[in-house]
Amino acid sequence: MKEVNLGEHMRKYDLIIVGGGASAMAAAISAKKINAGLSVLMLEKLDVLGKKVAASGNGRCNISNLNAFGAPLVIDFLKGCNIPLRESEEGRLYPYNEDARSVVKVMTEKLCDLGIDIKPGVRVESVERKPEEDGFFVRGNGMELEAAVVIIATGGKSMANLGTTGDGYVMARSLGHRVNPLIPVLAPVEVYEDMGRLAGVRAKAKLTLFKDGRELVIENGEVQFTNKGLSGICVFNISRFLTKDADESIAEALGRYSIAVNYIPDLTLDEEELALCEEGQFGALVKEAVGAEILARSGGRAEEIPVNLRAMKFSPKRVEGWNRAQLTRGGVDLREINEETGESKLVKGLYFCGEILDRDFPCGGYNLNHAWLTGIKAGRAVAND
Ligand SMILES: Cc1cc2nc3c(=O)[nH]c(=O)nc-3n(C[C@H](O)[C@H](O)[C@H](O)COP(=O)(O)OP(=O)(O)OC[C@H]3O[C@@H](n4cnc5c(N)ncnc54)[C@H](O)[C@@H]3O)c2cc1C
C-alpha cells in the first residue's frame, strides 16, 4: 500500500472518510467507482486498514449472509472486488479461501487501483463544520484538512486493540447527533454456578433463555464452557437479549434470566437408555465432564438426572465487557439519519456508516453485511450528489 504524503499544509478533499474498516472501504470503493474524479482520502488510526475484518469469524471472515437485508447488493459488491464467496450452513457466506486477511488485502489493492488516498496512523480527533460555508475541517495528528463531505465510519467501541475505542460517537455528538446508550453485546456470559468441572469443554446443545420463568429465545450450537461461564456463538446471540429496564440495576435485571442447556435436543431416549442415565451411565451420550456435572448437580436423586441432561440451569451474573464483546449496541440514533444514504438529517454533507449506527444483529455475517451495505449506500450517495 502506498501511503499518501499529506505534508504539513492544509489539504482539501471532496470526501474524507474517517476510519479504514469494513464500511469505510465499501464507501470509498463505491464512491470512486461511480465518480472517478472525486478526490477521496481515508484516514485510519491504526497502521493497517481493516484490522477487525482481518480478525473476524475466527480469521475466516463470515462476510455476509444470504438471509441478511440487502445481501444481493453486498454480494455483487464483494464479487466486484474479486472476492468469490463460499456458502455455509444457515446462509452464512465466507470468502472462498476462508481467509479474512485476504479480504483486507484485496480491498486495499482495490482502493489503491481506484486512486483513493490512504493515510494510516492518523487518529482523527475532531470533525467540525466550517462556520460560514458548507464543508468540514477534519483534524488529527496535528493536521488540519478540509473536506466538502465527511463519512464517519469509525465502528463501535468493543475490542479497543482493533482500533475501535468509540471516537466516532464523540464526533457525532459534537456535530449535534443523539448517541443512544452503548452496550457491549455478542459476548461470553459469566454465571454464578461453579464451572470447575465443565471449564474447557465444548458441547453441541440447545440453549433456552428464560426471563421471569418464560421462554424468551432458543439458540442451537456449540456451547463453550469457560472457568467463568458460557461462550460460543449461540451464547453470544443469547447475550443480546440480556437487557435491563431503566429502573433496575444490572444485578436485579440479570437475576430475572436463566439459561437452560439441553445436551440431547434431538434424541428421544427409550426406557432402557433412560434407566442407564438414571444410574449415571451415560456411555457416549455426553462428554465425561458433562456427565460428571449432571451427576454432581443431581446429588444422588435419579429423577434429577434427565432434568439436568435436558435443562441444566445456569444463572447469568454478568455479560463480559468491551474487551470480549464482538459488537456495540446503541450508537448514532437512526431517526436523525436518512437510511437510504447514511446522510445526516441535521448536517448536510455528513454521513455515517457501519457499526457506529444504532443497529446490531446476531452472529452469522449480519453485522459485516450491515457494514458493507451502509458503506456502499453512503459511497454511492456521495458520488451521485
Ligand atoms: C473478533 C470479532 C469477530 C467478528 N466476526 C464477525 C464475523 O465473522 N461476521 C460479522 O458479520 N461480523 C463480525 N464481527 C463484527 C464486525 O467485524 C463489525 O461489525 C464490522 O467490522 C463493523 O464495521 P465498521 O466499518 O463499522 O467498523 P470497523 O470495521 O471496526 O472499522 C472501524 C475503523 O475505524 C478506525 N478508527 C476508529 N476511530 C478512529 C479515529 N478516531 N480516527 C481514524 N480511524 C479510526 C478503527 O481503527 C477501525 O479500523 C466481528 C467482530 C469482532 C470484534
Side-chain angles (χ1 to χ4, degrees), residues 58 100 119 160 179 192 209 291 344 350 380:
N58 274 332
K119 187 76 183 158
V179 174
Y192 283 102
L209 177 69
S344 160
L350 176 68
R380 287 184 174 184

Side-chain angles (χ1 to χ4, degrees), residues 17-26 42-65 92-94 119 121-126 139 152-168 171 186 233 236 322-328 353-357 359 361-372 374-375:
I17 303 178
V18 185
S23 62
M25 294 192 285
M42 178 182 284
L43 297 171
E44 163 58 49
K45 173 160 108 181
L46 300 180
D47 291 338
V48 288
L49 301 183
K51 205 165 173 196
K52 195 172 271 185
V53 178
S56 67
N58 274 332
R60 291 169 64 209
C61 186
N62 185 184
I63 202 162
S64 177
N65 192 302
R92 291 164 190 242
L93 297 172
Y94 294 84
K119 187 76 183 158
V122 176
R123 175 173 176 241
V124 173
E125 282 141 33
S126 70
R139 299 191 182 91
I152 300 185
T154 45
K157 208 185 140 173
S158 75
M159 300 212 183
N161 58 322
L162 302 177
T164 38
T165 44
D167 296 354
M171 295 172 210
L186 300 188
I233 287 176
F236 289 180
W322 294 113
N323 289 338
R324 301 291 308 280
Q326 290 205 348
L327 207 78
T328 303
C353 56
E355 201 178 314
I356 190 171
L357 295 166
R359 180 154 283 154
F361 298 90
C363 296
Y366 294 95
N367 289 297
L368 274 174
N369 183 81
H370 177 249
W372 308 124
T374 51

Side-chain angles (χ1 to χ4, degrees), residues 243-259:
T243 56
K244 82 176 198 59
D245 294 338
D247 57 349
E248 59 184 358
S249 69
I250 290 180
E252 273 170 346
L254 290 182
R256 299 169 64 190
Y257 294 94
S258 69
I259 300 170

